[in-house]
Amino acid sequence: FVHADVKGASMNDLIKSRNGLSTKFFPTEKQIYSGHFHKPHIVTSSERSKIRYVGSPYQISSSEVGQSKSLLLVDSQKCWECIEEIPLDIGPRFHRLSSVNEFLGM
């Protein structure tokens, strides 16, 4: 478990990290979970199988419009494998509207 900026990780839907840690610094034989970025996603590379960003438990800013949030249940007896992903429906919600009429429900 880390809280790190990893090169190639999605800072949001538009921007990927270019200056973070290389995936080669992480062991290939272990599950790696990270925080830091709010968007839940997986970073893959040729040097390492995957680093999973768990994301924030609820939308923190308008850049997270439409993102699904969840809680990961990991099993210490199975090398910290994620055995269940529990959807979360808590906290504030941000919306992107294309017009005033859409806001008014017209």
Side-chain angles (χ1 to χ4, degrees):
F1 298 94
V2 299
H3 189 266
D5 177 359
V6 175
K7 192 180 297 184
S10 295
M11 297 171 139
N12 58 42
D13 288 334
L14 302 174
I15 302 170
K16 289 199 181 281
S17 173
R18 293 182 284 160
N19 301 316
L21 294 171
S22 171
T23 56
K24 70 181 180 180
F25 291 114
F26 297 93
T28 57
E29 69 281 355
K30 296 185 182 207
Q31 300 285 337
I32 304 293
Y33 299 96
S34 185
H36 196 57
F37 297 131
H38 297 174
K39 179 181 179 175
H41 66 288
I42 295 173
V43 177
T44 58
S45 73
S46 58
E47 297 119 5
R48 151 136 204 88
S49 54
K50 66 181 181 179
I51 296 171
R52 185 168 185 171
Y53 277 87
V54 298
S56 57
Y58 54 88
Q59 292 180 5
I60 305 292
S61 75
S62 60
S63 68
E64 298 175 60
V65 167
Q67 289 181 9
S68 297
K69 304 298 184 168
S70 61
L71 176 69
L72 303 182
L73 181 61
V74 297
D75 189 336
S76 64
Q77 302 300 309
K78 294 183 178 180
C79 296
W80 301 102
E81 175 186 339
C82 179
I83 58 170
E84 187 176 358
E85 191 168 341
I86 303 163
L88 295 176
D89 190 18
I90 61 172
R93 292 273 187 259
F94 294 89
H95 304 277
R96 189 167 291 128
L97 304 172
S98 58
S99 70
V100 172
N101 288 342
E102 184 179 353
F103 175 71
L104 296 174
M106 302 173 126

